[in-house]
């Protein structure tokens, strides 16, 4: 298995802690982070030596310009957000061509315990609570398939067997008679802030075509990293400590940063009386 992350310099302060925890807590044959050309030096400086730093230009030659021409008149500020999803799929596709399993891992996410993503039934998925309607709309137009599970595949990570991604790309191209990436761009409503999810789309494909090759993981994970741990460094140093501890924690850019760790907030709160004199 190879771990794939996509990042940019604006999130480097999370990545420099997440990357160390990834290497320590996710056993893999290889690790790579894919970044803009201008960010390569900064990532080399802040990434463990065992993680390869790749230039995103090496992945986007086929679809980068096409995506830009498709989105620049409607929502150019979201170009990078859509681009990183196509990069992840292309990285998985290349691994699949070599017969290799891949794991997409969000670069803003810190693992807190030892994690495994492939079990006796194949891919073992964490699940999320997000049910964003545009994701399912584009999945139906792209694949002609509805979601058949109640849980969401959007959970900061996605394990992928080599034959899953190969089958996915072939199926999309058979349905639309254009390259898989073009079909995704053409079928996505790019006016939407978030109109496509690589996790939800791949998950829907896998549940339909490989129902016996995947399962859900039981451990929970934490999305609100700043509320739970205050900062990525604190999370990396804190391992999961019991059955109810999260398996990993995300530090997403939309969440306000907190000044204090929640344990300190409890101590501060407990130190003051709330009763009236």
């Amino acid at each position: 298995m190879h771990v794939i992350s996509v990042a940019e310099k604006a999130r480097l302060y999370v990545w420099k802690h997440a990357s160390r925890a990834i290497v320590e807590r996710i056993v893999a044959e290889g690790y790579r982070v894919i970044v803009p050309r201008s960010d390569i030096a900064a990532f080399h400086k802040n990434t463990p030596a065992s993680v390869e730093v790749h230039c995103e230009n090496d992945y986007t030659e086929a679809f980068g310009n096409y995506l830009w021409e498709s989105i620049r008149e409607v929502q150019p500020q979201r170009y990078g957000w859509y681009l990183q999803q196509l990069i992840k799929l292309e990285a998985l596709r290349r691994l699949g061509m070599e017969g290799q399993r891949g794991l997409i891992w969000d670069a803003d996410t810190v693992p807190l315990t030892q994690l495994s993503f492939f079990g006796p039934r194949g891919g073992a998925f964490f699940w999320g609570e997000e049910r964003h309607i545009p994701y399912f709309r584009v999945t139906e137009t792209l694949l002609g398939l509805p979601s058949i599970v109640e849980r969401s595949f959007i959970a900061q990570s996605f394990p992928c067997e080599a034959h899953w991604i190969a089958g996915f790309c072939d199926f999309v191209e058979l349905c639309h008679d254009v390259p898989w990436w073009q079909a995704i761009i053409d079928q996505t409503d790019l006016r939407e802030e978030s109109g496509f999810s690589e996790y939800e789309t791949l998950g829907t494909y896998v549940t339909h075509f490989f129902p016996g090759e995947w399962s859900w993981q039981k451990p929970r994970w934490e999305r609100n990293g700043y509320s739970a741990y205050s900062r990525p460094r604190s999370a990396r140093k804190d391992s999961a400590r019991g059955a109810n501890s999260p398996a990993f924690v995300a530090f997403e850019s939309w969440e306000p940063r907190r000044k204090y760790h929640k344990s300190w907030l409890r101590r501060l709160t407990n130190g003051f009386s709330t009763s009236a004199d």
Side-chain angles (χ1 to χ4, degrees), residues 12 19 33 36 39 56 75 80 82 90 99-100 102 128 131 149 158-159 166 177-178 181 187 190 238 251 271 276-277:
L12 186 58
S19 59
V33 60
D39 297 346
E56 69 175 29
Q75 200 162 202
Y82 282 104
E90 173 63 7
Q100 299 282 348
R131 300 292 289 182
V149 296
F158 193 98
D177 200 28
V178 295
W181 51 264
Q187 297 303 316
L190 298 174
D238 187 22
F251 292 85
D277 292 337

Side-chain angles (χ1 to χ4, degrees), residues 131-200:
R131 300 292 289 182
H132 187 53
I133 296 301
Y135 293 159
F136 300 104
R137 188 182 301 131
V138 70
T139 296
E140 291 205 33
T141 61
L142 183 67
L143 303 176
L145 303 172
S147 173
I148 55 175
V149 296
E150 294 183 0
R151 293 168 172 168
S152 171
F153 285 95
I154 300 174
Q156 311 299 119
S157 57
F158 193 98
C160 189
E161 297 278 6
H163 61 281
W164 292 356
I165 188 65
F168 170 80
C169 293
D170 288 347
F171 183 75
V172 170
E173 294 183 355
L174 181 64
C175 288
H176 298 276
D177 200 28
V178 295
W180 61 269
W181 51 264
Q182 183 179 338
I184 291 173
I185 295 169
D186 290 347
Q187 297 303 316
T188 299
D189 185 353
L190 298 174
R191 296 169 298 180
E192 291 278 355
E193 282 284 315
S194 304
F196 173 77
S197 166
E198 79 281 41
Y199 292 163
E200 210 71 82

Side-chain angles (χ1 to χ4, degrees), residues 56-65:
E56 69 175 29
N57 292 27
D58 296 335
Y59 293 82
T60 63
E61 183 178 359
F63 51 76
N65 287 338

Side-chain angles (χ1 to χ4, degrees), residues 103-125:
L103 170 70
I104 302 174
W105 182 268
D106 281 7
D108 59 5
T109 301
V110 180
L112 303 181
T113 188
Q114 294 296 315
L115 297 175
S116 176
F117 289 87
F118 291 94
R121 292 192 62 189
F125 294 93

